[in-house]
Amino acid sequence: MDNISRESERKGQILNSAIKIFGEKGFQNATIAEIAKDAGVGDATIYEYFKNKEDLMLAIPVEFTKELIPQINDHMMGIKGAFNKLRKFIWWWLNYVEKNPGYGSIVLLELKTSKTYVSTEAYQAARSFYQIVLDIIKEGQEEGAVKKEINPYLARSLCVGAMEHIIIRWLLKDRKYPLIQYADELADLLIDSLKTRV
Amino acid sequence: MDNISRESERKGQILNSAIKIFGEKGFQNATIAEIAKDAGVGDATIYEYFKNKEDLMLAIPVEFTKELIPQINDHMMGIKGAFNKLRKFIWWWLNYVEKNPGYGSIVLLELKTSKTYVSTEAYQAARSFYQIVLDIIKEGQEEGAVKKEINPYLARSLCVGAMEHIIIRWLLKDRKYPLIQYADELADLLIDSLKTRV
DNA sequence: CCATTCTTCCGAATTACATTCGGAATTCAT
DNA sequence: ATGAATTCCGAATGTAATTCGGAAGAATGG
């Protein structure tokens, strides 16, 4: 989650502290003072780099999701067949959130309450991340593995909705036992849902 | 959404204004002053009935979800077969949110960011609402319509996750065209996912 | 090497709200 | 009708976001 090259060192420090504090306490209960202190800068300095508290939170997914897409694509390399890719995607995403729960709770819980969310870059970033699932489904339809009659956008909602629901439950409650323990069973169920019947 | 009998008239006024303002502006951007003004009471009066702003928001699902469960059960009467019930549930829930988007955005977007959410009555209320889906799935397994080998809890996550995902998309973006237009296709997809194969 | 501008940074005000206080208005019980 | 309780709220308080004004440091030019 760290050492990502960014325009400015300062901006990077602040973002790293922001992800940490927002992730721990949530948007509401995190204070600018605390983030500033953690980043080792003055409160006012944050406002040199971000318009306001909300803008600071929205900057997190933009920066980090940019990194995610190459990473998942890298993991996808050499995997053949839509269902194998989907299984990998589920595994990878659950694993990533488990390792970075702060990022997960920002993206899955906090972000959507921002009044302007849909018109932000953050929304576009999330969109292109989930686009991967859509591509997998379409690929599956081409290769004949996924039922042709399914609306691929609805199928994406099914996959993403189920994943998010499981992740959100985990974020809200337990966080104790591994999140990836759900990965296989969830993948089985989703694959079975989409599969062409013989 | 109105005329629900409650302990006190005042408390009811405040809750109705709260659902309206929170629903419109979100928790963050709603102010106590605005809710008080809308309810026609002084700011301090709100604190006679609710511990604080967060407690006021959390009171909404408790009050309203109590009403929801009898309503949906009422609609379920006379419907035979798990899949017919599931279809009805999807239709009814999408329709309810479409008619009460303020309530929907509180329950689906705002609530989960509350630090204490899982330990509140509001969480229990949501839980018993979604319990209905679990019961339908279990019933389906008993009558042989739903695959026996599916973990019913995971199946619930699939159904609820997909519904919530579609509702959240609608709340965040469009809200223009009818939400229920998704109901049938979603129901088809979910039913097909759960169905025992011959 | 020094003066000048430009940039970065931040301590100290300012502002916007949530929350609390103290007492006024109203209702209730006798 | 009167004292006691309850309900209500305007004004004060406290906390945290945001802005201001200028200090400290880096870059430019002679």
Side-chain angles (χ1 to χ4, degrees):
Chain A
M1 189 61 83
D2 286 283
N3 63 338
I4 291 176
S5 70
R6 293 201 204 77
E7 318 86 278
S8 130
E9 194 44 54
R10 267 287 189 277
K11 194 170 180 180
Q13 284 169 256
I14 295 170
L15 272 174
N16 279 326
S17 297
I19 200 172
K20 176 176 157 193
I21 308 292
F22 281 140
E24 274 169 18
K25 313 209 156 181
F27 181 76
Q28 191 67 202
N29 298 101
T31 68
I32 291 290
E34 195 178 1
I35 293 168
K37 194 176 167 198
D38 186 275
V41 303
D43 297 15
T45 303
I46 290 180
Y47 291 88
E48 299 292 332
Y49 294 94
F50 303 95
K51 198 149 52 67
N52 52 39
K53 190 181 172 186
E54 191 173 46
D55 185 52
L56 171 57
M57 181 177 63
L58 289 167
I60 292 168
V62 175
E63 292 294 323
F64 287 86
T65 308
K66 271 182 197 154
E67 299 294 314
L68 249 50
I69 293 176
Q71 276 186 55
I72 177 74
N73 280 333
D74 194 44
H75 271 260
M76 220 64 114
M77 275 194 318
I79 296 180
K80 199 160 157 54
F83 288 141
N84 293 325
K85 286 183 183 170
L86 181 60
R87 189 178 293 278
K88 177 72 177 185
F89 185 92
I90 293 168
W91 182 89
W92 189 88
W93 182 221
L94 264 53
N95 182 250
Y96 188 85
V97 173
E98 185 170 339
K99 298 291 184 295
N100 303 279
Y103 173 80
S105 66
I106 292 165
V107 171
L108 275 75
L109 300 175
E110 304 290 342
L111 223 55
K112 289 167 185 162
T113 69
S114 160
K115 205 171 54 273
T116 55
Y117 176 51
V118 288
S119 55
T120 62
E121 267 195 88
Y123 179 75
Q124 288 310 316
R127 199 155 231 290
S128 38
F129 181 67
Y130 287 140
Q131 171 77 30
I132 296 171
V133 177
L134 184 62
D135 291 340
I136 292 172
I137 291 165
K138 284 180 173 169
E139 181 190 326
Q141 286 185 318
E142 274 162 31
E143 70 190 31
V146 173
K147 281 186 278 214
K148 293 273 197 310
E149 66 273 25
I150 288 183
N151 173 344
Y153 296 93
L154 191 63
R156 178 186 52 186
S157 291
L158 187 78
C159 297
V160 171
M163 277 189 278
E164 288 198 351
H165 192 259
I166 283 172
I167 294 173
I168 287 170
R169 275 188 118 62
W170 182 81
L171 286 169
L172 289 177
K173 307 182 70 184
D174 340 79
R175 290 204 198 189
K176 287 152 198 161
Y177 56 98
L179 179 54
I180 31 171
Q181 85 178 40
Y182 294 109
D184 253 336
E185 209 184 343
L186 176 61
D188 290 342
L189 181 53
L190 287 174
I191 288 169
D192 191 64
S193 302
L194 304 177
K195 190 165 55 194
T196 307
R197 306 293 161 193
V198 280
Chain B
M1 188 60 82
D2 284 283
N3 61 338
I4 291 177
S5 69
R6 292 201 204 76
E7 318 86 279
S8 131
E9 193 45 54
R10 267 287 188 276
K11 193 169 181 182
Q13 284 170 257
I14 295 170
L15 272 174
N16 280 325
S17 296
I19 201 172
K20 176 175 156 194
I21 307 292
F22 281 139
E24 273 169 18
K25 312 208 157 182
F27 181 76
Q28 192 66 201
N29 298 102
T31 67
I32 291 289
E34 195 178 1
I35 293 168
K37 195 178 167 197
D38 187 274
V41 302
D43 296 15
T45 303
I46 290 181
Y47 291 88
E48 300 291 333
Y49 294 94
F50 304 94
K51 197 150 52 66
N52 52 39
K53 191 182 172 186
E54 192 173 45
D55 185 54
L56 172 57
M57 181 176 63
L58 289 167
I60 292 169
V62 176
E63 291 294 322
F64 286 87
T65 308
K66 271 182 198 154
E67 300 293 316
L68 249 50
I69 292 175
Q71 275 186 56
I72 177 74
N73 280 333
D74 194 45
H75 271 260
M76 220 64 113
M77 276 195 316
I79 295 181
K80 198 160 158 53
F83 288 142
N84 293 325
K85 285 183 184 171
L86 182 61
R87 189 179 292 278
K88 177 72 177 188
F89 185 91
I90 293 168
W91 181 90
W92 189 88
W93 183 222
L94 264 54
N95 182 251
Y96 188 86
V97 174
E98 184 171 338
K99 298 290 183 295
N100 302 279
Y103 173 80
S105 64
I106 292 165
V107 171
L108 275 74
L109 300 175
E110 304 291 340
L111 224 53
K112 289 166 186 163
T113 69
S114 159
K115 203 170 54 279
T116 56
Y117 175 51
V118 288
S119 55
T120 62
E121 267 193 89
Y123 179 76
Q124 287 311 316
R127 200 154 232 289
S128 40
F129 181 67
Y130 286 139
Q131 171 78 31
I132 297 172
V133 176
L134 184 63
D135 292 339
I136 291 173
I137 291 166
K138 285 179 173 169
E139 180 190 327
Q141 286 185 318
E142 275 161 32
E143 71 189 31
V146 173
K147 280 187 279 216
K148 293 272 196 308
E149 67 272 24
I150 287 183
N151 173 344
Y153 297 91
L154 191 63
R156 179 186 52 186
S157 291
L158 188 79
C159 297
V160 170
M163 277 189 278
E164 287 198 352
H165 191 258
I166 283 171
I167 294 173
I168 287 171
R169 274 190 119 60
W170 181 82
L171 286 170
L172 289 177
K173 307 182 69 182
D174 338 79
R175 288 204 199 190
K176 286 151 198 163
Y177 57 98
L179 178 55
I180 29 171
Q181 85 177 42
Y182 294 109
D184 253 336
E185 209 183 344
L186 176 61
D188 290 342
L189 182 53
L190 286 175
I191 289 168
D192 191 63
S193 303
L194 304 176
K195 191 165 51 194
T196 306
R197 308 292 161 193
V198 281

